[in-house]
């Protein structure tokens, strides 16, 4: 399986990063070795001094497809989950400065903790799903899919024009504003609506 991530998909986050709002989805990838499951602890890597949390809704692809029309994209995922796109912000800043790829800042081991998934049928409106991240009991990021620049269906259509999607692939759909540093000892808890789906510690 593969993990496809979307950058700058919420205007307020693009603004806090001093990045322009994109005219088409910004796409990057993480390898399967980035996955961290079952609320296992994340070990703070020694190559960064500025590790940031980015809480994101995650789509699980349920059927293989390519060149998917936006109108059919909803048939390619059944479940929505929540995850963290851990980012070594200091390394990313250096990559950006030199125009280099972001993988060292984004794709390292354990950089994609994911929690449980919920069937999308439980949501009345996929364009109005609230989600959030709490650190040590305090809410640090809150998002709502109504603020997505590119909807789930548009993302699936766009990505599948370049890369064949396969069953089990994950799409991290972008982070809302409020990204910031984590440190050893922090406990991260992520919620979709009032459902706690991810709960782990930084060590
Ligand atoms: Zn992200």
């Amino acid at each position: 399986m593969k993990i496809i991530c979307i950058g700058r998909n919420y205007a307020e986050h693009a603004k806090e990063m001093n990045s322009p709002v994109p005219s088409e989805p910004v796409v990057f990838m993480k390898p399967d070795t980035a996955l961290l499951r079952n609320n296992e602890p994340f070990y703070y890597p020694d190559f960064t001094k500025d590790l940031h949390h980015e809480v994101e809704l995650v789509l699980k692809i349920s059927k293989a497809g390519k060149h998917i029309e936006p109108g059919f994209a909803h048939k390619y995922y059944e479940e929505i989950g929540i995850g963290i796109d851990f980012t070594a912000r200091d390394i990313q800043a250096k990559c950006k400065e030199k125009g280099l790829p972001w993988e060292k800042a984004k794709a390292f081991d354990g950089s994609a903790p994911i929690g449980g998934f919920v069937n999308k049928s439980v949501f009345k409106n996929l364009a109005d799903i609230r989600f959030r991240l709490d650190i040590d009991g305090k809410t640090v990021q809150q998002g709502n899919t109504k603020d997505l620049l590119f909807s789930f269906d548009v993302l699936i259509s766009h990505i599948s024009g370049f890369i064949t999607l396969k069953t089990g692939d994950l799409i991290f759909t972008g982070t809302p504003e409020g990204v910031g540093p984590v440190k050893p000892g922090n406990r991260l808890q992520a919620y979709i609506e009032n459902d706690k789906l991810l709960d782990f510690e930084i060590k």
Side-chain angles (χ1 to χ4, degrees):
M1 57 81 63
K2 56 191 174 286
I3 305 167
I4 298 159
C5 302
I6 306 300
R8 297 175 208 162
N9 203 15
Y10 290 85
E12 288 300 316
H13 171 62
K15 204 195 271 179
E16 74 180 347
M17 298 303 296
N18 294 316
S19 298
V21 169
S23 55
E24 59 177 63
V26 174
V27 177
F28 61 96
M29 291 175 77
K30 298 188 189 237
D32 57 2
T33 41
L35 277 184
L36 190 64
R37 300 179 198 261
N38 307 316
N39 293 326
E40 280 168 14
F42 174 84
Y43 290 88
Y44 200 106
D46 57 10
F47 50 73
T48 178
K49 295 200 160 32
D50 196 21
L51 182 74
H52 277 204
H53 55 78
E54 295 190 357
V55 70
E56 312 199 0
L57 292 179
V58 180
L59 308 178
K60 191 188 278 182
I61 295 299
S62 56
K63 178 164 98 159
K66 58 176 162 182
H67 300 296
I68 300 163
E69 295 289 335
F72 292 99
H74 65 277
K75 294 175 184 287
Y76 290 82
Y77 70 101
E78 299 299 328
E79 290 179 296
I80 300 173
I82 196 158
I84 309 291
D85 166 21
F86 272 131
T87 304
R89 199 67 77 193
D90 44 357
I91 295 178
Q92 188 193 32
K94 278 187 207 154
C95 295
K96 280 183 177 174
E97 205 176 288
K98 295 180 186 156
L100 295 173
W102 292 353
E103 272 77 3
K104 283 182 183 172
K106 290 272 199 185
F108 50 85
D109 288 0
S111 62
I114 55 164
F117 283 78
V118 240
N119 198 286
K120 69 180 181 187
S121 62
V122 309
F123 302 107
K124 266 191 296 208
N125 180 0
L126 295 179
D128 187 13
I129 302 174
R130 288 180 304 128
F131 61 103
R132 72 173 206 266
L133 173 66
D134 290 0
I135 298 185
D136 299 336
K138 184 172 170 279
T139 299
V140 292
Q141 283 190 275
Q142 297 188 68
N144 187 309
T145 52
K146 71 174 159 49
D147 299 319
L148 282 168
L149 295 172
F150 302 103
S151 70
F152 295 159
D153 291 350
V154 168
L155 292 179
I156 286 173
S157 175
H158 184 81
I159 294 164
S160 72
F162 297 85
I163 301 166
T164 299
L165 293 173
K166 290 184 171 178
T167 304
D169 287 350
L170 300 175
I171 302 177
F172 276 62
T173 57
T175 194
E177 72 272 22
V179 301
V182 296
K183 55 180 194 301
N186 285 157
R187 182 169 177 188
L188 277 64
Q189 295 172 306
Y191 295 74
I192 300 181
E193 300 291 347
N194 295 317
D195 235 351
K196 183 164 70 181
L197 295 168
L198 179 62
D199 183 350
F200 69 103
E201 263 184 298
I202 313 279
K203 293 203 170 177

